[in-house]
Amino acid sequence: MNFALVLFLLLVATGVLWAADRFFARKRRAPGSPSPWWVEYGASFFPVILIVFGLRSFIVEPFKIPSGSMIPTLLVGDFILVNKWTYGIRLPVINKKVLSVNDPARGDVMVFRYPADPSMDYIKRVVGLPGDRVEYIDKRLRINGEVVAVSPQDDYLHPDRLYYSPRFSEKLGGVDHSILIEREAPAYVPQVLDYPFRENCTYTSSGVSCVVPQGHYFVMGDNRDSSSDSRVWGFVPDANIVGKAFFIWFNFSDMKRIGSFR
C-alpha cells in the first residue's frame, strides 16, 4: 500500500469538506445550530491530517526495519526515523526533488524506493557515489582502488538463532560502523538480476566490480552475506531516494536500543 498516496487523498477529501463548511455551509446555518455529521467526522480531521502529512512529507518519516540485512546496526523490529529534508525537498507522492540540500555521502544509512519495485522501501548503507569504482572481491571492499579499512571486533551473537557471526569495524567516508562477514559464505554474488546499467559491472567467482553511473548510488547492507543490495539488483537512482535514517525511536523487544546510530 502506498501510504503517502492514501494520506494525500485523505488530505484532499477532508480539505474539500473543511473549505465547504468554512466558506459556504457555516454561513447558512442558524446561529447555535449543531454542525452536520460530515463536518464532525470529515472537516474536523483536516488540520490533524495536514500536520501529519506535512511532517511526514518534508521533515521526518517513521519506518520499521523488516529484515536483518542491516544487522548489527539495525535489528528486525527497530522503529526508526528518517530525515526527509537532508537530501533535498521532494514533492509528496511523486517524490520529485524541487530543492537540493545535500547529496548522500559514503557511510550514510539511506532509505529509498527499491528500484525493481518502487512501491517497496529499502534501507542500506551508501557505499559508492556517482563515478566511483566499487569492488567487493573476496569479501574486501575497495573504492576507487583503495581498500576500505576494517578491524576485527568481538563476534556478534544473533539472539533469535543463538549463533555467532564474525564482526568487524569498518570506516567508510569517515563513518565508523560494524559489519558482519560470514567466513563460510561464498564470495561470488548469487542470483544477480538484470538491471539498468548492468554493463557497468563485472561479476566473477570472487565477487563484483562496478562503476557507479551518474545520478545513481551503490548501496550495501551491513550484514554483508545476508543482504540483497546493489550487488544483486543494481544502482539506486537519485529519484528513488527517500531520506537519511538517523534515530531508533522504539523496539518492542529491547528498549535499550532507543537512540541515534551511524
Side-chain angles (χ1 to χ4, degrees):
M1 177 185 295
N2 190 331
F3 185 73
L5 178 59
V6 172
L7 196 62
F8 176 73
L9 293 176
L10 286 174
L11 177 66
V12 172
T14 56
V16 169
L17 292 175
W18 177 86
D21 176 66
R22 175 67 176 80
F23 297 106
F24 299 102
R26 186 181 303 179
K27 297 178 180 179
R28 299 182 180 182
R29 287 198 299 268
S33 61
S35 302
W37 67 269
W38 57 268
V39 173
E40 291 295 334
Y41 296 100
S44 59
F45 285 105
F46 172 67
V48 176
I49 295 177
L50 178 62
I51 292 173
V52 172
F53 183 79
L55 288 174
R56 187 182 184 278
S57 299
F58 303 109
I59 307 299
V60 67
E61 182 174 357
F63 284 90
K64 181 182 178 182
I65 302 300
S67 73
S69 69
M70 285 297 293
I71 294 174
T73 304
L74 297 171
L75 307 185
V76 177
D78 281 346
F79 289 84
I80 65 170
L81 295 179
V82 176
N83 187 323
K84 297 295 292 287
W85 51 264
T86 190
Y87 295 144
I89 304 300
R90 297 172 185 267
L91 295 178
V93 182
I94 62 174
N95 208 42
K96 181 177 176 58
K97 184 188 290 187
V98 294
L99 178 63
S100 295
V101 180
N102 299 301
D103 293 323
R106 293 189 196 95
D108 287 357
V109 177
M110 185 172 74
V111 173
F112 54 91
R113 294 178 177 177
Y114 177 40
D117 182 1
S119 66
M120 301 173 61
D121 290 319
Y122 271 30
I123 182 168
K124 306 290 180 186
R125 191 176 297 276
V126 177
V127 172
L129 307 180
D132 282 348
R133 174 174 289 279
V134 178
E135 300 170 277
Y136 194 67
I137 306 296
D138 292 326
K139 302 190 180 185
R140 289 305 304 271
L141 178 62
R142 294 175 177 83
I143 300 177
N144 298 325
E146 295 188 9
V147 178
V148 176
V150 296
S151 57
Q153 296 180 314
D154 293 339
D155 288 350
Y156 175 79
L157 173 63
H158 297 264
D160 55 337
R161 288 175 283 181
L162 297 180
Y163 79 92
Y164 288 89
S165 292
R167 175 166 44 181
F168 300 85
S169 174
E170 180 181 76
K171 188 169 185 178
L172 188 62
V175 177
D176 288 305
H177 58 279
S178 294
I179 61 173
L180 303 183
I181 299 177
E182 304 292 346
R183 295 186 180 93
E184 292 76 17
Y188 70 88
V189 181
Q191 300 178 333
V192 177
L193 304 182
D194 186 18
Y195 53 84
F197 300 103
R198 170 69 172 73
E199 65 277 9
N200 283 32
C201 296
T202 301
Y203 291 87
T204 68
S205 59
S206 299
V208 61
S209 174
C210 295
V211 175
V212 185
Q214 293 300 315
H216 293 71
Y217 297 87
F218 192 98
V219 298
M220 296 176 66
D222 290 346
N223 193 356
R224 291 288 163 80
D225 294 297
S226 298
S227 173
S228 176
D229 48 41
S230 287
R231 294 170 291 177
V232 176
W233 42 254
F235 310 101
V236 178
D238 181 80
N240 286 45
I241 294 174
V242 173
K244 179 181 179 180
F246 70 98
F247 192 83
I248 301 170
W249 63 273
F250 196 73
N251 186 303
F252 285 104
S253 302
D254 187 359
M255 296 296 291
K256 294 180 181 179
R257 288 192 52 74
I258 296 175
S260 59
F261 62 89
R262 300 185 71 183

